[in-house]
Amino acid sequence: MNSALLEASNFEGLKKALEKTPEEIIAIVKESSLKGRGGAGFPTGLKWEAALKAGGEGERFVLCNADEGEPGTFKDRLILTKAPLNVIEGILIACRVLDAKKAFIYLRGEYAHHRTALDRAIKKAKPYLGANGIDISVVLGEGAYICGDETAILNSIEGKRPEPRKKPPYPAEKGLYGKPTIVNNVETFAMVPLIFLGKFDSNKRLCSLSGDLHKAGVFEISEGKQAGTLLELAEPIGIPKALCFGASGGIIPFDPCMELTEANVKERGAFPGTWSVIVINHEHSIVELCRSIQAFFVHESCGYCAPCREGNLRMLELLEKISKGKGTKKDLQILRELSALLESSCFCALGRSAPLHVSTALRHFFWEFEEKCT
Amino acid sequence: MAGKKILLNELGLEQKRKGFVSKEKLKEIASKACVPESEAFSAATFYSFLSLEKRAKHSVLVCNCPSEQLKGSEKILGFLEKRLKVKRGNATKDKKFYLGETSCIGLCDKAPAMLVDGKPHAKVTIEKTKEILGKLK
Ligand code: SF4
Ligand code: FES
């Protein structure tokens, strides 16, 4: 795909940024309105500022989250293969802000085969690394969705069981080895050099489209684009019925005229997160989709807290029962209650967003569930 | 932290080398990484790609996330179960193949997708699967 967002910076962005002071860099990043592209959407400039202002002596770290694991998301894969240098430049600019000498890239085990491209990019950046005494290490994940959580990654790198940590303190204040750490994902870092080249547009972002499509892939979307226009590019198979935002973002009815904004998705009870959109057509059942997403969460719950560990399991049992046509109306009520329970009482974002697919599906596609229940 | 080894990287290397991480090796790696052995054990048992017991020679992991199910990953899994005479989540009797499901491997645009010994295969069909299996010794 062609997107300004994937244009190579060739160290030009980095050079421009290195002329600035940390405070100036932060001001420019803030001004750009760049928000984290890993799902939560926290303003990047504010995060960096918090890390710079965090007190304490000693080391500081920069960490690139390349553990893109949300089902339906593969835009970081594209960036890692098409513009890995931009990511390295972004990391180096963050290092400049914190005067950090050590950076990590946490690459998911499933992307181990992209390691070479990354190593090559690090090698290319050697002059800049050397001049500033910075070392970038790649840490390879070993298959755990929870490691996409910024605090679970910290534990993973430190050699601990990768369960999430309590926030606050945020990684910006107390991150890796208890030191101030800037954690951003691949897409976020890749945008940073473009800011300094004046090529960044906060209204544009990458969207991973998959599901019932002939031409699944990564597309650039701009604020206000209509869902129908976007889907046309990807050539739907059959008639689209629903849009599913990864495993943790919820399911909403497909409305061709809906403008693709976070507010519009949220209004329908869902959350666009990393903008991974799985398209579901009329031939596929929403109940079956929920069962499959639920199985994913049962597998990926880290098991630390009871509502997520047990609740997801119970929800899966109910969804399996319903999908076999053996459910009752009472089961639907219990599903609703369990969803609400998980949303309010799980320890981390994984558990709290896990039931979103069920709560949104029950809201928008209730009849599909009802039809299967006695 | 200077000079300290990253536990996860060391475990991963050993897994790649030997197909599993033995008790002795775990102890050794833990001390190199300055992590208590119990902590290293608790970490090592968490990840799906790591194993403390010898696994089958080849691992065949089919992605079963929603994008895949829409594109027929069940068919591929069903075929593999029949062909290898083993249910998913298990190794064949001769310990040659392990057949499992995996969460998203980032190839959702090219579903159905699978990882065979860590190598990605996209847009797999039954024909393609046969070919891939044939190449595994
Ligand atoms: S909500 Fe789930 S993933 Fe998060 S800490 Fe609890 S058990 Fe672990
Ligand atoms: S959902 Fe299967 S590769 Fe992403």
Side-chain angles (χ1 to χ4, degrees), chain A residues 70-74, chain B residues 63-68 103-108 111 113:
Chain A
E70 187 64 36
T73 313
F74 42 92
Chain B
C63 175
N64 69 343
C65 284
S67 309
E68 312 287 319
S103 298
C104 180
I105 51 176
L107 289 168
C108 340

Side-chain angles (χ1 to χ4, degrees), chain A residues 77 108 142-143 156 161 211 300, chain B residues 42 47-49 103-104 106:
Chain A
R77 180 194 87 207
R108 64 189 308 230
E142 290 293 340
S156 179
R161 196 174 172 86
E300 298 298 345
Chain B
S42 146
Y47 300 92
S48 33
F49 291 175
S103 298
C104 180

Side-chain angles (χ1 to χ4, degrees), chain A residues 311-367:
Chain A
N312 276 312
L313 209 57
R314 298 296 156 235
M315 286 178 69
L316 179 60
E317 280 171 8
L318 287 169
L319 284 164
E320 279 175 345
K321 191 172 154 200
I322 296 165
S323 119
K324 281 187 194 131
K326 291 184 183 149
T328 62
K329 301 256 158 74
K330 175 99 192 289
D331 290 332
L332 295 180
Q333 188 50 36
I334 303 176
L335 259 186
R336 261 215 186 97
E337 284 166 18
L338 278 172
S339 305
L341 180 88
L342 265 70
E343 271 168 40
S344 63
S345 63
C346 281
F347 181 71
C348 81
L350 184 154
R352 288 195 294 268
S353 58
L356 207 58
H357 67 105
V358 171
S359 59
T360 47
L362 284 173
R363 172 169 157 193
H364 300 293
F365 300 95
F366 187 69
W367 56 274

Side-chain angles (χ1 to χ4, degrees), chain A residues 181-344:
Chain A
T181 306
I182 286 179
V183 189
N184 280 121
N185 87 324
V186 169
E187 188 182 349
T188 317
F189 276 127
M191 294 305 116
V192 176
L194 298 182
I195 297 175
F196 290 86
L197 290 176
K199 286 187 177 161
F200 173 70
D201 179 351
S202 66
N203 285 324
K204 287 191 178 145
R205 57 180 305 155
L206 299 176
C207 162
S208 319
L209 273 184
S210 66
D212 291 321
L213 301 168
H214 285 293
K215 291 204 169 141
V218 176
F219 293 82
E220 186 188 274
I221 56 170
S222 40
E223 188 86 2
K225 191 172 199 135
Q226 289 189 339
T229 324
L230 176 67
L231 253 58
E232 243 168 63
L233 297 173
E235 297 180 12
I237 301 174
I239 301 166
K241 165 169 79 174
L243 304 180
C244 172
F245 294 91
S248 57
I251 307 165
I252 63 171
F254 169 64
D255 166 3
C257 299
M258 184 185 100
E259 287 184 2
L260 293 164
T261 62
E262 191 174 311
N264 281 340
V265 177
K266 277 187 175 162
E267 195 188 287
R268 289 158 173 83
F271 188 70
T274 55
W275 283 99
S276 44
V277 182
I278 305 170
V279 178
I280 320 293
N281 71 17
H282 275 278
E283 271 161 47
H284 288 115
S285 141
I286 298 292
V287 179
E288 196 35 48
L289 175 68
C290 286
R291 192 208 51 75
S292 139
I293 295 179
Q294 196 55 42
F296 166 80
F297 282 116
V298 167
H299 185 248
E300 298 298 345
S301 160
C302 85
Y304 176 72
C305 70
C308 173
R309 184 180 63 232
E310 283 299 316
N312 276 312
L313 209 57
R314 298 296 156 235
M315 286 178 69
L316 179 60
E317 280 171 8
L318 287 169
L319 284 164
E320 279 175 345
K321 191 172 154 200
I322 296 165
S323 119
K324 281 187 194 131
K326 291 184 183 149
T328 62
K329 301 256 158 74
K330 175 99 192 289
D331 290 332
L332 295 180
Q333 188 50 36
I334 303 176
L335 259 186
R336 261 215 186 97
E337 284 166 18
L338 278 172
S339 305
L341 180 88
L342 265 70
E343 271 168 40
S344 63

